[in-house]
Amino acid sequence: MSNIKHSIVSNNGAGTTHQVHSAALKSLPRDMIALSDYSAEQIAGLIESAADFKHKAKYEGQAFHPDQPLKGKTIGLIFSKRSTRTRVASETSAAYLGGHALFLGKDDIQLGVNETLRDSAQVISSMVDGIFARVGPHSDITTLAKYSSVPVINALCEENHPTQILADLLTIWEVFGKRRPNARGILDVFRGLRLAWVGDANNIAFEIMTTMPKCGISVNMCSPAGYPIPEYVRNLAATGAQTTDAEVKYFSDPIEAVNGADIIVTDTWVSMGQEDEKAQRIRDFAGYQVSKEMAQKGNANKDWIFMHCLPRKAEEVTDDVFYSDRSVVFQEAENRKWTTIATFNALLGKKSN
């Protein structure tokens, strides 16, 4: 095995990046529903900002943002689905920026139960300065955004998970930026990389497909027969790939899918609300467990890394991959905080920042 460990950003040192794309942050959409609404330059600007926050907080001792861009502001955290990483990241991000996070769980408010989403959006947005919402159907997040008077950030819905993919991109930059020291910026680091997705056709897969090709990362998408990628996602992926000469390929055989991969990614095979389908899904995903043997048989690139948004189950990836030097899953999880800080600062903070 090559010396992968030394190319991964560790907890005792981190790189910084020049703010090449900071100007792009001045023209962001009001809301963050999906990264398909953002340009590659805007996404790169958010990654640069997140990397800067991480470096200052972890390696320069900046415990709080000195300008407190969210001072006096409240972010409503609407969570219809439970979470670990998203909740911790959002509450600590608000605190770092000087704001207040108001957690509103499914048992705390009447979201879509005794009150319509439209009414809830109007009421809640009249009392907070931003909404960070983790919901079920995609229509829930778009309805909140439509009727909210303040910015709405998608913390997860059935079709998208933009803050997760921002964290993934920050992690990819941290790893491959150190391997490509002559790259001129984040997008230059991404250009030419290949990511293999081996798993369910779910919201993470959709967000990867509609984001990474336009940032220069080719995607090998692999899911079993009966778990198709929607046509609109395929179209967005193809359009993004045309702008960067990245490739988007589709597979049902994981061994074929990991060929030439720099990054191998999977996720849960059974998402929240699909528990009744578990037995059938386990059968359908037979052969999809990410392993060293899969990467070797498929001829993944020598220094491939493994990513997973967590929580992980044993059938999805072997222990000798998940806990190996190839795995950046805990770095990836931590980066949820830094990219959430960057997103809150850009969309909800003082515009002078």
Side-chain angles (χ1 to χ4, degrees):
M1 178 177 172
S2 60
N3 194 16
I4 293 174
K5 191 171 186 177
H6 298 297
S7 65
I8 296 176
V9 173
S10 65
N11 287 331
N12 58 14
T16 57
T17 183
H18 298 297
Q19 301 292 300
V20 177
H21 298 93
S22 58
L25 298 182
K26 297 178 181 179
S27 58
L28 297 178
R30 188 198 75 160
D31 306 310
M32 180 180 283
I33 304 302
L35 292 179
S36 58
D37 299 326
Y38 284 61
S39 70
E41 291 73 20
Q42 289 170 332
I43 292 167
L46 288 169
I47 302 305
E48 290 172 353
S49 176
D52 187 54
F53 281 127
K54 182 176 183 177
H55 183 81
K56 288 177 178 176
K58 297 194 71 174
Y59 308 108
E60 295 182 8
Q62 184 174 284
F64 297 96
H65 194 300
D67 298 329
Q68 299 289 275
L70 292 188
K71 183 177 181 180
K73 294 189 176 185
T74 297
I75 304 175
L77 308 180
I78 299 176
F79 279 44
S80 297
K81 292 189 173 186
R82 64 186 182 273
S83 169
T84 298
R85 282 146 294 278
T86 305
R87 181 170 180 180
V88 175
S90 56
E91 294 202 18
T92 56
S93 294
Y96 179 85
L97 295 170
H100 172 66
L102 176 64
F103 183 77
L104 303 170
K106 64 182 180 65
D107 297 323
D108 299 321
I109 58 175
Q110 303 186 65
L111 189 70
V113 180
N114 294 321
E115 183 173 68
T116 66
L117 278 171
R118 175 177 179 171
D119 292 355
S120 292
Q122 290 184 264
V123 170
I124 295 169
S125 66
S126 71
M127 303 182 199
V128 300
D129 301 283
I131 292 174
F132 191 53
R134 184 177 175 90
V135 297
H138 183 70
S139 59
D140 283 5
I141 197 72
T142 56
T143 298
L144 285 172
K146 181 177 181 179
Y147 294 107
S148 170
S149 58
V150 298
V152 172
I153 300 167
N154 186 357
L156 174 142
C157 71
E158 289 178 355
E159 294 185 20
N160 301 100
H161 200 347
T163 58
Q164 176 64 54
I165 301 312
L166 287 175
D168 291 357
L169 288 170
L170 174 58
T171 307
I172 292 169
W173 172 76
E174 288 177 331
V175 174
F176 291 94
K178 294 180 77 71
R179 300 182 188 179
R180 298 178 170 189
N182 296 323
R184 295 185 299 273
I186 283 177
L187 296 178
D188 203 30
V189 170
F190 292 160
R191 194 169 292 112
L193 293 175
R194 183 173 297 276
L195 180 150
W197 172 272
V198 179
D200 193 12
N202 63 12
N203 55 355
I204 302 293
F206 301 166
E207 198 77 58
I208 283 174
M209 290 187 63
T210 57
T211 303
M212 295 201 180
K214 70 181 174 186
C215 291
I217 301 174
S218 293
V219 176
N220 290 356
M221 181 57 53
C222 182
S223 56
Y227 295 84
I229 301 295
E231 191 66 26
Y232 83 91
V233 174
R234 288 174 174 254
N235 291 339
L236 285 170
T239 299
Q242 288 173 0
T243 66
T244 63
D245 293 326
E247 296 180 319
V248 181
K249 298 180 178 180
Y250 298 92
F251 302 87
S252 58
D253 182 346
I255 302 297
E256 295 180 2
V258 301
N259 181 258
D262 301 287
I263 307 150
I264 300 176
V265 190
T266 193
D267 186 18
T268 181
W269 299 344
V270 185
S271 297
M272 284 182 282
Q274 297 176 337
E275 289 80 7
D276 291 346
E277 305 171 24
K278 181 176 180 178
Q280 182 61 52
R281 283 176 168 266
I282 295 296
R283 289 192 292 271
D284 292 344
F285 283 88
Y288 271 67
Q289 184 186 51
V290 175
S291 65
K292 290 181 179 179
E293 181 183 15
M294 174 190 289
Q296 184 175 7
K297 284 184 176 180
N299 197 28
N301 281 349
K302 180 179 67 173
D303 292 339
W304 64 274
I305 63 170
F306 174 74
M307 300 179 70
H308 191 303
C309 68
L310 305 181
R312 164 257 188 174
K313 299 177 185 66
E315 64 266 19
E316 298 153 6
V317 55
T318 59
D319 281 353
D320 63 354
V321 169
F322 187 79
Y323 292 111
S324 73
D325 290 342
R326 294 187 182 277
S327 176
V328 292
V329 297
F330 298 110
Q331 181 177 340
E332 177 187 6
E334 179 195 340
N335 283 340
R336 293 292 304 282
K337 173 177 179 174
W338 308 112
T339 49
T340 299
I341 288 175
T343 301
F344 283 0
N345 184 59
L347 296 184
L348 308 176
K350 298 173 184 176
K351 296 305 178 184
S352 60
N353 274 29

